[in-house]
Amino acid sequence: MKKVLKRIFIVLFILGALSPFVLVAYYWVKYEYDVSSLVDYKPEVTTRIYDKNGEKIANIFHKKHRYYVPFEDIPPRIIEALVAIEDTTFFEHSGVNFDAIFRAIIKDIKARKMVEGASTITQQLVKNKLLTREKKISRKIKELIYSYKLEHELTKEQILERYLNEIYFGHGYYGVKTAADGYFHKKLSDLTLKEMAILVGLPKAPSTYAPTKNYEISMGRANRVITRMHTLGWIDDATYEKALAESPTVYDDTLTQNRAPFIVDEVARRFRKMGIDDLKTGGYEIYTTVDLRLQNAARESLKYAYNLSLQRIEKYKIKEEKELQKAAEEGNDEFKVQDVNVSQLNGALVSLDSKTGDILALVGSVDYKTSSYNRATQGRRQPGSAFKPFIYQVAIDLGYSGATMLVDNAQTYEYEKNGEELKWKPRNYEKNYKGLIPLREALIHSRNLATINLVNEIGLNQLLGELKKFNIKNIPNDLSISLGTMSMSPLELAKYYTSFSNYGVQVDPHLIYSIDQGANTIYEREVVEHNITVPTQSFIMTSILRDVVNRGTGRRARVRGIELAGKTGTTNNNVDGWFAGYSPTIETVVWFGNDDNSPMYKRETGGRIAGPAFSTYFTNVLNLYPQVKRKFDIPKGIIEVKINGKKEYFSEISKPPRGDYKDKTEDELLF
């Protein structure tokens, strides 16, 4: 009987010992094990947007924030640290370490609980990528089979590459490169041993060991990694002691790190226009033309001018309320106070490199959180008098000069609209007339009547034909062209103004300098130029616009220490306020107005509301880049003449007066 029982026990023991292998064989045959998602590994990768100086503007991703790093770019020390703490025999086993499994089982039995894991790096990768997290024996068996299959499809190096790009490292960071950038603001190659140890210690329990949450616990885990490396003889005593003593600085950043939301939105819009639909997952590196420091300066300048306007309006309203009260006391019931909806007031600013068209700064509202609508690129408003320089440039190209006398008097124009006879009687903003006025002074002081008479003198048809060279869209075929009644965005106006700021050569604006995907560059910007006029004629316009800033309607745009040129623009009833101008190298357009197209406060002209934003911006430009060019070049072929003690510029096209012109008066120069 004892012999029978002994044989039964032996059979049961053998069956018990073989049962795991029987189960594995059963699952191997029953299920398909597809490891193609790891063999042909193409994870979702975060797109990064940079400014022109290489500073990161933002991360863009779908669900998982991941930077990809190929194996050859992973420092060997990271591999050593990972293998030391997670899977010392990684390079020896075939995906499953049975010795470790049996050791873990024995320890678990002795402790009567789970005290030690036995998963290899390969198993951890399989568990994270191919399986659910359910704690069942069936999942564990599948994990073993998947791991074995994967080891026969990939090299050890390929498995490590996939592991270090796939695994979660806490704080929303997937992959070791992402974690290095997020926690330490470093490239992998710049990490210290302690920082590497922190990272490889994270996958076991990312929430527990995340240094942004539990710094001391994270350091303790890192020290165990370092100690393990020292025990294995992989680092010497000096390296060991130095690493233990280090306390790295850890950053607690948001994942997107969006430092310029209007830029990010515009990049996304342009990607859609290019037909690229995987912006959030394609792992692009987008280098923009933006200068983050100038972007911040633009945002602050716009906000400053906005707040300044609100303060003025409040003062005006208090003053008007007092005047209204006084009028009521005097029995004057005709006095009215303008109803202004200040909650609708908003603005935009765009700044370009005049020579290349590179967008240096672009702000679409005074506060992105309140309104993300980009008025700089999508808002289309009338430029008003900011359009006048294009008319005057045509005149200068036809031979007019700053000294040419224009007629500044009132006229009434009759026209028909929808079968009805109507009359248009334009007037100057100052409500006065000069009779005769030099072209320079007419533009400096934005004289409407002189401009209309100039249009008539040139001839509307000829003017429209000449204006085509500026590539301006939707120009009206009537005299309202004199007052800038077509619609355009601030960015479009900035493009057109490069005709002046770039010495007669218009350039297309660019926001994206280059786009890289992996090792491939898929886009590089090219400077697109359109010849508008010759440098001498463009400079004559610049000299006039420089006077607009120095002593004309643009005085509030002045900045000490740098030459600036530009033009104000105010539309009927103060609906829009503009300032478009430039330094010798940078062009900037500012717009303000109410989003519902209602009038701003009646005293808020382009010079008053947009000028301060422009001047504040260029003050910041000088502070940030004191080496910036400060004086306009005078091109070859310009002739300087003094008239009434004032300097005037001429050329072979805009010829100086004949004979002895040095002491001639303006009345004697009617040519």
Side-chain angles (χ1 to χ4, degrees):
M1 185 65 180
K2 287 182 179 180
K3 288 183 179 180
V4 173
L5 290 174
K6 185 176 181 180
R7 287 174 181 171
I8 292 173
F9 177 78
I10 291 171
V11 171
L12 290 174
F13 178 80
I14 293 171
L15 290 174
L18 291 175
S19 60
F21 298 99
V22 172
L23 278 173
V24 169
Y26 170 75
Y27 273 89
W28 186 293
V29 174
K30 184 176 181 180
Y31 298 102
E32 293 288 333
Y33 295 90
D34 183 9
V35 294
S36 61
S37 62
L38 279 172
V39 174
D40 303 317
Y41 185 57
K42 295 178 181 178
E44 293 185 355
V45 180
T46 296
T47 287
R48 284 164 284 176
I49 301 177
Y50 299 96
D51 85 338
K52 63 178 296 185
N53 301 310
E55 287 193 54
K56 191 193 299 177
I57 294 176
N59 296 313
I60 301 180
F61 55 91
H62 181 45
K63 292 181 179 179
K64 294 180 177 180
H65 174 32
R66 175 187 290 110
Y67 300 151
Y68 195 88
V69 56
F71 181 81
E72 57 268 23
D73 293 337
I74 301 172
R77 276 290 193 209
I78 289 182
I79 303 298
E80 292 173 0
L82 173 66
V83 170
I85 196 65
E86 291 291 342
D87 189 358
T88 308
T89 61
F90 172 74
F91 288 99
E92 301 167 18
H93 61 65
S94 298
V96 180
N97 188 339
F98 289 104
D99 290 341
I101 291 175
F102 289 129
R103 284 198 306 271
I105 291 172
I106 293 171
K107 288 184 178 180
D108 292 345
I109 292 172
K110 288 181 178 179
R112 297 183 179 181
K113 61 179 181 179
M114 294 287 290
V115 295
E116 183 170 315
S119 293
T120 63
I121 288 174
T122 309
Q123 287 175 265
Q124 292 177 42
L125 175 60
V126 163
K127 181 171 61 177
N128 275 272
K129 182 65 177 175
L130 303 178
L131 298 171
T132 64
R133 292 193 173 274
E134 60 179 350
K135 294 184 177 181
K136 292 182 178 179
I137 188 65
S138 59
R139 186 199 63 78
K140 194 65 178 178
I141 294 172
K142 290 177 182 178
E143 179 185 304
L144 299 177
I145 297 172
Y146 269 122
S147 299
Y148 181 80
K149 279 182 167 289
L150 191 63
E151 289 270 350
H152 285 76
E153 293 281 348
L154 298 175
T155 65
K156 291 290 186 178
E157 290 77 13
Q158 290 173 324
I159 291 171
L160 286 170
E161 178 177 325
R162 285 149 178 76
Y163 178 92
L164 286 169
N165 281 290
E166 178 66 26
I167 296 298
Y168 182 57
F169 285 80
H171 201 78
Y173 301 141
Y174 288 84
V176 68
K177 182 177 180 179
T178 322
D181 178 80
Y183 288 129
F184 306 119
H185 292 184
K186 289 184 177 182
K187 299 178 181 178
L188 291 175
S189 57
D190 296 332
L191 294 174
T192 65
L193 178 57
K194 184 62 163 282
E195 290 164 342
M196 294 178 184
I198 292 171
L199 295 181
V200 301
L202 284 166
K204 182 175 183 179
S207 296
T208 302
Y209 294 128
T212 50
K213 289 183 178 180
N214 303 303
Y215 186 84
E216 294 302 325
I217 295 175
S218 179
M219 294 306 106
R221 170 71 171 164
N223 288 341
R224 288 195 291 277
V225 174
I226 294 165
T227 300
R228 176 65 175 160
M229 295 178 73
H230 184 251
T231 301
L232 292 170
W234 293 357
I235 56 175
D236 58 27
D237 292 345
T239 304
Y240 170 66
E241 295 294 339
K242 181 181 178 181
L244 288 182
E246 184 186 349
S247 297
T249 299
V250 174
Y251 297 89
D252 189 3
D253 293 335
T254 61
L255 298 186
T256 58
Q257 298 180 9
N258 195 337
R259 301 167 66 185
F262 279 114
I263 301 301
V264 173
D265 289 354
E266 187 62 19
V267 166
R269 191 171 76 87
R270 295 185 181 217
F271 254 63
R272 290 192 296 271
K273 192 174 180 180
M274 294 165 70
I276 302 175
D277 57 6
D278 63 342
L279 173 63
K280 294 184 177 181
T281 60
Y284 298 97
E285 289 188 294
I286 304 168
Y287 293 89
T288 69
T289 59
V290 172
D291 185 316
L292 263 180
R293 289 182 286 182
L294 293 183
Q295 177 73 11
N296 293 333
R299 186 179 63 250
E300 293 167 2
S301 301
L302 196 68
K303 188 72 172 180
Y304 167 77
Y306 171 80
N307 289 331
L308 207 61
S309 177
L310 295 186
Q311 293 169 14
R312 280 197 306 269
I313 292 172
E314 188 60 32
K315 289 180 181 179
Y316 294 151
K317 289 174 69 175
I318 293 172
K319 182 180 179 181
E320 286 193 341
E321 288 294 339
K322 290 181 179 178
E323 291 175 351
L324 179 63
Q325 184 178 357
K326 182 180 179 181
E329 292 172 354
E330 295 174 350
N332 180 5
D333 57 1
E334 294 183 0
F335 187 85
K336 302 292 183 183
V337 175
Q338 182 183 354
D339 184 21
V340 180
N341 186 1
V342 294
S343 66
Q344 289 288 330
L345 182 64
N346 223 306
L349 186 154
V350 59
S351 186
L352 309 179
D353 181 302
S354 297
K355 191 168 184 63
T356 63
D358 290 347
I359 297 174
L360 303 174
L362 187 148
V363 182
S365 75
V366 294
D367 186 352
Y368 182 88
K369 292 180 180 178
T370 302
S371 175
S372 61
Y373 177 66
N374 194 334
R375 294 154 185 81
T377 59
Q378 297 169 274
R380 300 182 62 80
R381 305 294 283 255
Q382 294 183 7
S385 294
F387 182 76
K388 287 177 181 173
F390 299 100
I391 297 173
Y392 282 75
Q393 184 69 64
V394 168
I396 291 169
D397 291 346
L398 291 174
Y400 288 67
S401 72
T404 304
M405 303 302 288
L406 303 180
V407 177
D408 183 48
N409 61 11
Q411 293 189 42
T412 299
Y413 300 90
E414 296 182 356
Y415 64 100
E416 184 178 311
K417 185 176 182 180
N418 300 325
E420 182 181 359
E421 292 289 334
L422 299 173
K423 292 183 179 181
W424 179 45
K425 192 172 183 179
R427 62 181 183 178
N428 290 321
Y429 180 80
E430 297 87 348
K431 301 178 183 178
N432 61 18
Y433 318 106
K434 297 291 185 179
L436 289 175
I437 185 172
L439 181 146
R440 177 178 292 273
E441 300 303 314
L443 186 53
I444 287 172
H445 300 289
S446 199
R447 307 292 289 186
N448 292 335
L449 298 176
T451 305
I452 294 170
N453 289 324
L454 175 61
V455 171
N456 279 325
E457 190 172 307
I458 295 172
L460 182 60
N461 289 335
Q462 183 177 2
L463 176 64
L464 291 172
E466 294 289 339
L467 285 172
K468 289 180 180 178
K469 64 186 179 183
F470 291 102
N471 306 304
I472 300 171
K473 301 174 183 176
N474 305 316
I475 295 178
N477 188 21
D478 55 51
L479 284 177
S480 69
I481 188 178
S482 311
L483 306 181
T485 55
M486 71 293 294
S487 295
M488 60 185 66
S489 70
L491 182 58
E492 287 174 324
L493 185 60
K495 170 189 173 179
Y496 304 143
Y497 257 70
T498 60
S499 306
F500 313 130
S501 63
N502 193 31
Y503 290 88
V505 179
Q506 187 182 106
V507 289
D508 291 348
H510 299 276
L511 179 64
I512 299 174
Y513 186 84
S514 67
I515 303 172
D516 295 340
Q517 190 177 36
N520 300 317
T521 297
I522 64 173
Y523 170 83
E524 280 188 296
R525 76 102 164 91
E526 294 182 2
V527 177
V528 180
E529 299 181 338
H530 311 275
N531 291 320
I532 306 299
T533 187
V534 294
T536 53
Q537 303 311 100
S538 176
F539 176 77
I540 291 174
M541 173 55 66
T542 290
S543 74
I544 298 172
L545 296 181
R546 187 172 55 190
D547 280 351
V548 171
V549 175
N550 291 336
R551 57 186 181 85
T553 58
R555 292 185 301 277
R556 288 181 176 83
R558 284 179 298 186
V559 175
R560 182 176 296 178
I562 187 170
E563 290 187 344
L564 298 170
K567 183 67 184 74
T568 56
T570 308
T571 57
N572 283 343
N573 300 316
N574 300 71
V575 171
D576 301 283
W578 297 80
F579 191 86
Y582 49 95
S583 73
T585 56
I586 298 173
E587 184 203 301
T588 301
V589 172
V590 181
W591 168 85
F592 275 98
N594 289 331
D595 282 336
D596 61 359
N597 280 293
S598 63
M600 297 183 291
Y601 187 76
K602 59 187 177 183
R603 298 187 184 182
E604 294 300 276
T605 62
R608 189 182 297 271
I609 192 169
F614 183 91
S615 63
T616 302
Y617 176 71
F618 272 96
T619 298
N620 287 328
V621 169
L622 291 184
N623 290 334
L624 291 168
Y625 299 104
Q627 75 278 13
V628 71
K629 189 171 183 178
R630 300 188 179 215
K631 289 185 177 294
F632 291 106
D633 291 330
I634 301 177
K636 185 179 180 180
I638 284 290
I639 304 168
E640 295 184 10
V641 175
K642 278 196 174 181
I643 300 173
N644 287 346
K646 298 177 183 177
K647 188 181 293 184
E648 190 56 78
Y649 297 98
F650 300 91
S651 68
E652 283 299 311
I653 297 173
S654 299
K655 296 183 182 299
R658 298 184 186 91
D660 184 12
Y661 48 76
K662 291 187 177 180
D663 297 315
K664 289 187 179 292
T665 66
E666 290 168 354
D667 290 338
E668 294 173 313
L669 292 169
L670 294 176
F671 59 94

